[in-house]
Amino acid sequence: MFFHIVLERNMQLHPRHFGRNLRENLVSKLMKDVEGTCSGQHGFVVAITGIENIGKGMIRDGTGFVSFPIKYQCVVFRPFKGEILEAVVTMVNKMGFFAEAGPVQIFVSNHLIPDDMEFQIGDMPNYTTSDGSVKIQKDSEVRLKIIGTRVDATEIFCIGTIKDDFLGVINDPTTA
Amino acid sequence: MLRAEDEDASELKLGDVTMRLGLSDFLKAKCLMNSEVAILLEHRCDQMKHMSGESMHQLPQVLEKSLQYVKRFSRFTNQGSVKQVREVLSRYQLAEFELAVIGNLCPETVEEAKAVVPSLKTKGRGHDDEAIDRLLNDLMMIKKFE
């Protein structure tokens, strides 16, 4: 799920950036530093949408750098356990398949794929039902439920399932 | 840093997620639907292109991937209807999280809605099947007239 959230950060700025463009310099450094990062707590910071407030700068002892506390609004992507979302299949193998929802990778193990779907090997590996009506392959769109997240300091990885009501393929690239 | 046990709490009911988040910076966070994110990110991309002018090499990866994702999975593309969806859904006493999930997945039946948002089933919240059905109809109307 995407969230619009207010975060705070102390930015250190070198004195050469001071002057009438101080604010712009500060904001563009913030964007460069923060956008695209991932923290376990807040998820992926996708884009900064606004600056709420820039506090008073504090000179750091000995270096001349000044640190400014900045409050900014941003769009973050943070997956949660139990959440249901749509994702695009990126790779299929006999262990299961990988799907991508925005910046996050989700793995669905073959134990969490309905039992009537069998793995088919070939140049386009896929999972297919015995009557061939439903097929999961690269670029398929699936609706899945996140059942586990592994969160470390700089990465988020999810485990998902499609073995439940109203989950599974929503769009097959071959029939579309 | 969140501990594993904290994370588990979100499993109970989706509606509780936002409440649990109250502990952290997510207190004032707003859940966004994919369609809303698409509008925000497109704006941000334009801004970036404008700033860097011709020397625009490539969008940052996270931004690029998110933009592709929300464009692919946006149910509503027109800015007016996106706004309308939020307006209509907020009449139904939904938690932020529930609102966004329904707006993203646009369930077609009451059964489906309850499957994707299990917290709708909680008794005493005024979400009987009839109310959910009305909600889904309202949503369908917006989609139809988009």
Side-chain angles (χ1 to χ4, degrees):
Chain A
M1 170 83 55
F2 287 93
F3 297 87
H4 201 210
I5 190 175
V6 177
L7 295 178
E8 208 174 338
R9 187 182 175 93
N10 277 314
M11 289 297 300
Q12 304 228 14
L13 200 64
H14 192 275
R16 70 164 174 269
H17 298 299
F18 297 171
R20 60 199 171 105
N21 289 332
L22 189 139
R23 195 187 149 93
E24 279 100 279
N25 288 330
L26 210 51
V27 172
S28 64
K29 186 166 191 292
L30 177 76
M31 286 176 169
K32 216 195 264 161
D33 282 9
V34 173
E35 284 184 347
T37 59
C38 171
S39 79
Q41 198 178 357
H42 301 117
F44 292 88
V45 178
V46 181
I48 291 175
T49 54
I51 305 293
E52 290 236 311
N53 163 46
I54 299 181
K56 282 212 166 71
M58 279 262 276
I59 302 177
R60 312 285 299 180
D61 270 354
T63 63
F65 273 86
V66 171
S67 98
F68 294 88
I70 305 182
K71 272 194 180 164
Y72 57 97
Q73 303 161 343
C74 56
V75 176
V76 299
F77 185 84
R78 170 78 157 88
F80 282 97
K81 205 166 159 179
E83 184 182 341
I84 293 176
L85 46 72
E86 291 161 329
V88 183
V89 175
T90 51
M91 191 176 78
V92 179
N93 61 31
K94 68 176 195 311
M95 313 288 285
F97 66 84
F98 284 91
E100 234 174 45
V104 81
Q105 288 262 355
I106 303 158
F107 177 67
V108 179
S109 137
N110 59 8
H111 299 288
L112 297 168
I113 295 172
D115 296 328
D116 61 340
M117 297 194 87
E118 288 273 343
F119 178 66
Q120 317 278 335
I121 204 158
D123 30 309
M124 205 58 169
N126 60 72
Y127 282 87
T128 314
T129 49
S130 48
D131 61 354
S133 61
V134 184
K135 194 186 247 183
I136 297 173
Q137 59 186 27
K138 192 175 185 300
D139 278 333
S140 294
E141 292 174 3
V142 291
R143 182 189 282 180
L144 50 83
K145 179 162 147 187
I146 294 172
I147 53 167
T149 54
R150 194 196 68 207
V151 167
D152 53 36
T154 58
E155 212 180 13
I156 297 181
F157 186 79
C158 298
I159 301 291
T161 177
I162 55 166
K163 211 177 185 177
D164 214 338
D165 295 346
F166 300 103
L167 301 181
V169 181
I170 43 177
N171 185 10
D172 189 335
T174 52
T175 56
Chain B
M1 190 58 118
L2 289 175
R3 284 167 298 130
E5 306 93 83
D6 292 333
E7 184 79 36
D8 267 352
S10 66
E11 205 187 3
L12 302 175
K13 274 172 238 112
L14 284 184
D16 286 349
V17 173
T18 39
M19 274 149 86
R20 186 192 68 79
L21 293 175
L23 300 168
S24 66
D25 298 308
F26 283 88
L27 179 64
K28 280 180 268 171
K30 205 171 157 125
C31 297
L32 296 175
M33 292 182 282
N34 291 343
S35 327
E36 293 171 317
V37 178
I39 294 169
L40 280 171
L41 294 191
E42 267 179 3
H43 179 76
R44 178 79 183 94
C45 286
D46 288 347
Q47 200 183 2
M48 275 174 132
K49 280 181 190 145
H50 185 73
M51 261 163 44
S52 56
E54 289 301 301
S55 64
M56 189 68 204
H57 18 272
Q58 225 186 345
L59 290 172
Q61 203 199 11
V62 171
L63 183 61
E64 170 85 46
K65 281 197 163 172
S66 305
L67 184 62
Q68 268 174 19
Y69 174 72
V70 292
K71 272 189 179 164
R72 189 161 183 173
F73 292 104
S74 278
R75 301 287 172 151
F76 306 91
T77 44
N78 174 324
Q79 203 159 340
S81 48
V82 174
K83 210 169 146 194
Q84 220 179 337
V85 170
R86 186 167 277 277
E87 254 170 45
V88 165
L89 290 181
S90 46
R91 283 188 217 134
Y92 288 89
Q93 286 102 42
L94 296 167
E96 276 267 325
F97 197 90
E98 298 169 328
L99 187 151
V101 171
I102 294 178
N104 278 345
L105 301 176
C106 281
E108 277 163 18
T109 62
V110 176
E111 284 303 306
E112 188 183 356
K114 286 198 281 193
V116 294
V117 188
S119 49
L120 282 182
K121 285 183 280 194
T122 316
K123 289 255 176 348
R125 289 190 52 202
H127 293 132
D128 49 6
D129 289 4
E130 215 175 284
I132 299 173
D133 196 43
R134 267 207 312 277
L135 181 158
L136 298 181
N137 265 328
D138 288 354
L139 207 57
M140 210 102 87
M141 286 311 249
I142 302 175
K143 181 90 197 129
K144 217 190 250 169
F145 290 110
E146 189 176 11

